[in-house]
Amino acid sequence: MARTKKKVGMYPSGMILFSLTLALFLIGFCGLLAIQSKKLVTYIRENYEIRAFLDKDLSEKKTETLYKTIAERPYVLVANGKPQVNLVTKDEAAKEFIAETKEDFSKFLGENPLHDSYRIKLNEGYFEEAKLQEVKQDLEQIDGVFEVVYQENLVDNINRNITKIYAIMSAFAVILLIIIVVLMNNTIRLALHSQRMLIRSMQLVGATNAFITRPFLGRGIWQGFLAGIIAVGLLIAGLQLAIHNLPELSTFQDPEKIIFLMVGIVGLGVLIGFVSTFQAVHRYLGLTLDELY
């Protein structure tokens, strides 16, 4: 029975493909979490409201003028072409208070002491305690504004927690990437073990290192590309399944960044396949005959 001839660059690749696909999937999953987290943070910041209470007994015309004045401020969030400034009358505020506390203050006060107010959403860049103080001072200088209130110190606490979460996620991603590169180097090196004598034979007949390395690199690049495509497919399928079961997640999607992430995963797969294969081949190219055995 004739023995099958070994061809340079042809080695068992199933485990490499599986390992690299799994690694890229984990990296992509971390990337998706980061994108979703960023959108969630933006959502929280842009839905944070400050309240500008108005002087009592303002005319309807004066109230409308105040709206226009506030809406023109650079810190006011504009969504779908509309400034996010909403009027809440004192009667509406009273109904909200009674619904929350289950106490009707009008029965023993005899009147509604609350003020009409504008609830204002701010641009994400103003989600800092110092900038909120500046916004508060600016609004309180407007004629007709009685007082501006917001939950002090809450913003700084949220920002600190967000910074901690990002730091932990970044550290985890870096550690994961280092582990993956090391594991892929070892996996490809083991896969190339069956080709070490063939590499040595080609060196003995005068083949250059570049000539020997080329087919291995081509295979490594192809494996990285294929693993990236499979990982992207799994990520997209998983994301669609998650959105199907939890429709609220669609609010936190960022198509442009997700596409960039998917392209990056394929590119990373190609890069890992190329670098790991290059390092593994050159290790065997530099071994002596005794070391090969």
Side-chain angles (χ1 to χ4, degrees), residues 6 10-13 15-17 19-20 178-197 199 216 220 223 272-287 291-292:
K6 290 184 179 180
M10 299 301 293
Y11 52 87
S13 58
M15 183 55 68
I16 294 176
L17 185 62
S19 301
L20 187 52
I178 293 172
I179 293 173
I180 286 169
V181 170
V182 172
L183 288 177
M184 287 311 304
N185 275 334
N186 291 334
T187 302
I188 292 177
R189 185 179 301 169
L190 288 174
L192 288 175
H193 184 73
S194 64
Q195 297 256 303
R196 69 193 190 286
M197 302 309 297
I199 292 173
F216 288 103
Q223 288 172 341
I272 291 176
F274 175 85
V275 173
S276 298
T277 303
F278 182 83
Q279 290 179 344
V281 172
H282 272 258
R283 178 180 180 275
Y284 285 115
L285 287 172
L287 294 179
E291 291 171 331
L292 287 173

Side-chain angles (χ1 to χ4, degrees), residues 196-232:
R196 69 193 190 286
M197 302 309 297
L198 182 58
I199 292 173
R200 182 62 175 176
S201 298
M202 294 185 69
Q203 284 180 312
L204 291 175
V205 298
T208 63
N209 288 350
F211 180 83
I212 297 172
T213 304
R214 192 178 303 117
F216 288 103
L217 291 181
R219 190 172 178 83
I221 290 172
W222 168 248
Q223 288 172 341
F225 177 78
L226 186 58
I229 293 297
I230 296 173
V232 166

